[in-house]
Amino acid sequence: MYRFNDGRDWFFQKRFGLFIHWGLYSINGWHEQELFRMNQMGKNLRREEYALLASRFNPVKFDPERWLDIAQEAGMEYICFTSKHIDGFCMWDTGETDFNIVNTPYGKDVLAMLAKACGKRDFPLCIYYSVPDMYCRHFPNGGKGYDYAAPQPGDEPDAKKYAGFVRAQVRELCTRYGRISGFWWDGGLRHGIYDESINELVRSLQPGIIINNRGFDNKGDFETPERNGLSGVPVKFYTKPAEHCNSVGEQSWGYRKNEDYFSLGYLSRSMLQDFARGGNYLLNVGPGPDGTFPEEAVTLLRGIGSWYFRVKESFTGAEPARQSVNNGKVLLTRKENCLYVHMLNPESTGVTLDPIDVLPLKATVLNTGEVLEKAVELMPWTSLKDGKKYLHVWNIPVDKLSNEAIVLKLEFDILP
Ligand code: GLC
């Protein structure tokens, strides 16, 4: 299994995290890229107009302890927080721009409050930071994605100065808030600033920090597949550290009034697909302008928790069973004397695990504890294929569990 053999390895123990997209954009409740997308549409929304939202930002119900309670109830074990998205608004008390949380009616450093709550319960805190910045006058706006098509009146685009601004902010983020366990860049490189010294700075200020692959260089520690659907089969195992990010809603990462929430069945299968492949899963919620999670998100996270804790043993400390089976509808993990069968796409009540031809001592549905029928037997279709007997388990309650991803546990005397 992939390991760094240093402080970064927390990431392999804690596989499920909470992503938070929160900022001024929660006020209109449309999308976190409101500023960018309106400009894409030719609405010419100026940053000065957008910035007026700051005078209305007053999340009086923000309670980081409550956020973490909900996260833990869902089974999440770390959090990644948007310190700054592409609108450039900073959710901490930065000295580098006035466009920040302290200059709102709320007036408090929400990152500091969150960091304190995380510290109290030893809950790893990671920081999301957008490289594109539509507010900073030095950002080289040029329509390369998530920025203005061209510099705005009064701008002084200067990649070097912008990198200096980022460095100063990184220094604040990595020195004022205690332990930062991860740095999650977004939108880097496409803007043409290649600078390895920025990640080196992050690592020097927070030894053992894990850094993703969307920053100013190509030396990130892990990959960040995003919003992958349920893949067609066969699904491949990850060969490098990976964290799949997705949101509870389909349309936006920031709070959205008319959000299309995913179903529990979909989300649990999406999670299963990544955990079974050996990846992490970062599931996002966009808190509303009052600082609370949308009710639908809370209900979903609760539902996920009630599923996740029942099947979690098949992911934690388990490794992808590389010698997989000739069955594109499942992925296997193994731990001690057990094989776990992750059903990506259950179409019937049974599964044949060619080439396994050993009878397990016991076969159960991890979700419910129900015992399954099992046999090493000749199947009608294997009679034509190779005439061999394979492990077949059946009476899986697929309809009863249609709202959640199913995991089977096979306990062997000696693993095949
Ligand atoms: C997408 C969105 C961006 C969001 C990111 C999170 O790239 O466009 O707004 O922050 O996903 O991974």
Side-chain angles (χ1 to χ4, degrees):
M1 261 194 284
Y2 203 101
R3 288 292 176 266
F4 297 108
N5 295 317
D6 59 31
R8 291 172 286 184
D9 283 357
W10 70 265
F11 190 72
F12 303 112
Q13 262 82 58
K14 301 180 191 276
R15 309 271 303 274
F16 182 25
L18 173 64
F19 208 175
I20 294 281
H21 274 64
W22 195 37
L24 296 184
Y25 40 82
S26 66
I27 295 177
N28 291 331
W30 186 72
H31 191 278
E32 77 280 0
Q33 295 174 6
E34 189 180 341
L35 180 58
F36 167 68
R37 291 188 189 218
M38 286 300 142
N39 281 285
Q40 280 288 100
M41 285 179 55
K43 298 260 187 221
N44 300 323
L45 178 57
R46 287 179 307 121
R47 55 167 75 106
E48 290 77 11
E49 284 171 67
Y50 178 84
L52 293 176
L53 290 171
S55 65
R56 290 166 48 201
F57 196 58
N58 195 12
V60 288
K61 292 193 182 154
F62 170 56
D63 175 2
E65 300 285 352
R66 173 94 186 108
W67 283 13
L68 298 186
D69 287 346
I70 297 169
Q72 287 183 314
E73 222 186 299
M76 293 159 158
E77 294 183 279
Y78 62 99
I79 186 168
C80 180
F81 179 74
T82 44
S83 65
K84 183 191 86 167
H85 208 264
I86 59 174
D87 58 1
F89 184 74
C90 299
M91 297 292 274
W92 80 100
D93 183 8
T94 175
E96 297 302 311
T97 169
D98 289 338
F99 194 39
N100 76 65
I101 185 72
V102 177
N103 299 315
T104 63
Y106 191 62
K108 288 186 259 182
D109 184 332
V110 293
L111 178 59
M113 293 162 75
L114 177 62
K116 193 170 160 210
C118 288
K120 269 207 306 213
R121 45 182 114 180
D122 219 357
F123 201 80
L125 169 64
C126 308
I127 288 189
Y128 168 106
Y129 185 101
S130 170
V131 173
D133 185 325
M134 297 178 72
Y135 195 85
C136 180
R137 296 194 183 276
H138 295 309
F139 184 77
N141 280 298
K144 297 207 186 91
Y146 308 127
D147 53 359
Y148 282 107
Q152 300 299 289
D155 276 1
E156 297 166 34
D158 185 326
K160 266 217 172 97
K161 279 196 182 148
Y162 182 64
F165 168 83
V166 172
R167 233 177 254 121
Q169 290 208 314
V170 159
R171 202 172 272 286
E172 293 178 347
L173 291 167
C174 291
T175 57
R176 296 186 185 168
Y177 298 95
R179 174 96 190 100
I180 303 298
S181 299
F183 213 92
W184 216 101
W185 299 104
D186 203 8
L189 285 192
R190 63 156 68 90
H191 298 278
I193 312 174
Y194 189 91
D195 187 343
E196 295 184 3
S197 75
I198 298 181
N199 273 344
E200 282 161 16
L201 176 66
V202 174
R203 291 189 202 280
S204 74
L205 298 173
Q206 288 282 345
I209 195 169
I210 190 161
I211 305 179
N212 80 347
N213 67 346
R214 297 190 188 179
F216 291 92
D217 64 37
N218 52 17
K219 304 227 160 114
D221 298 318
F222 66 94
E223 300 188 338
T224 50
E226 180 174 314
R227 286 199 186 281
N228 280 342
L230 298 176
S231 324
V233 283
V235 180
K236 293 206 177 76
F237 292 117
Y238 289 124
T239 51
K240 286 186 184 155
E243 179 197 62
H244 180 202
C245 55
N246 199 358
S247 191
V248 290
E250 192 174 16
Q251 304 296 341
S252 176
W253 299 75
Y255 168 67
R256 177 170 167 76
K257 286 177 188 153
N258 302 343
E259 185 55 278
D260 302 332
Y261 287 92
F262 285 120
S263 67
L264 203 50
Y266 172 79
L267 275 183
S268 62
R269 276 188 269 277
S270 163
M271 289 169 61
L272 177 106
Q273 179 173 282
D274 273 270
F275 289 139
R277 294 167 77 187
N280 281 21
Y281 203 90
L282 187 63
L283 182 60
N284 176 77
V285 173
D290 66 354
T292 65
F293 290 1
E295 232 175 87
E296 295 91 332
V298 177
T299 306
L300 260 180
L301 291 189
R302 235 181 237 132
I304 283 169
S306 87
W307 163 78
Y308 183 62
F309 285 110
R310 281 181 278 131
V311 299
K312 190 180 170 189
E313 69 163 79
S314 70
F315 308 124
T316 40
E319 48 183 314
R322 307 245 156 226
Q323 186 242 344
S324 198
V325 288
N326 296 318
N327 183 332
K329 292 178 191 142
V330 301
L331 277 175
L332 298 192
T333 57
R334 69 154 182 259
K335 179 159 79 178
E336 290 148 19
N337 64 329
C338 295
L339 277 180
Y340 296 93
V341 182
H342 304 269
M343 303 193 68
L344 300 174
N345 181 17
E347 289 172 354
S348 75
T349 55
V351 47
T352 306
L353 298 168
D354 157 17
I356 298 173
D357 57 4
V358 180
L359 195 66
L361 303 171
K362 201 172 171 196
T364 47
V365 185
L366 204 49
N367 307 56
T368 59
E370 281 163 271
V371 176
L372 294 171
E373 305 279 353
K374 57 185 190 307
V376 172
E377 60 175 327
L378 185 66
M379 303 296 285
W381 64 275
T382 59
S383 70
L384 296 179
K385 181 179 159 274
D386 54 17
K388 288 189 178 160
K389 294 178 178 177
Y390 294 113
L391 174 58
H392 172 218
V393 290
W394 69 100
N395 81 324
I396 304 165
V398 284
D399 280 330
K400 193 169 101 186
L401 296 175
S402 60
N403 286 335
E404 60 183 53
I406 299 173
V407 184
L408 315 180
K409 179 178 183 177
L410 309 177
E411 292 165 68
F412 291 90
D413 193 7
I414 299 168
L415 268 197

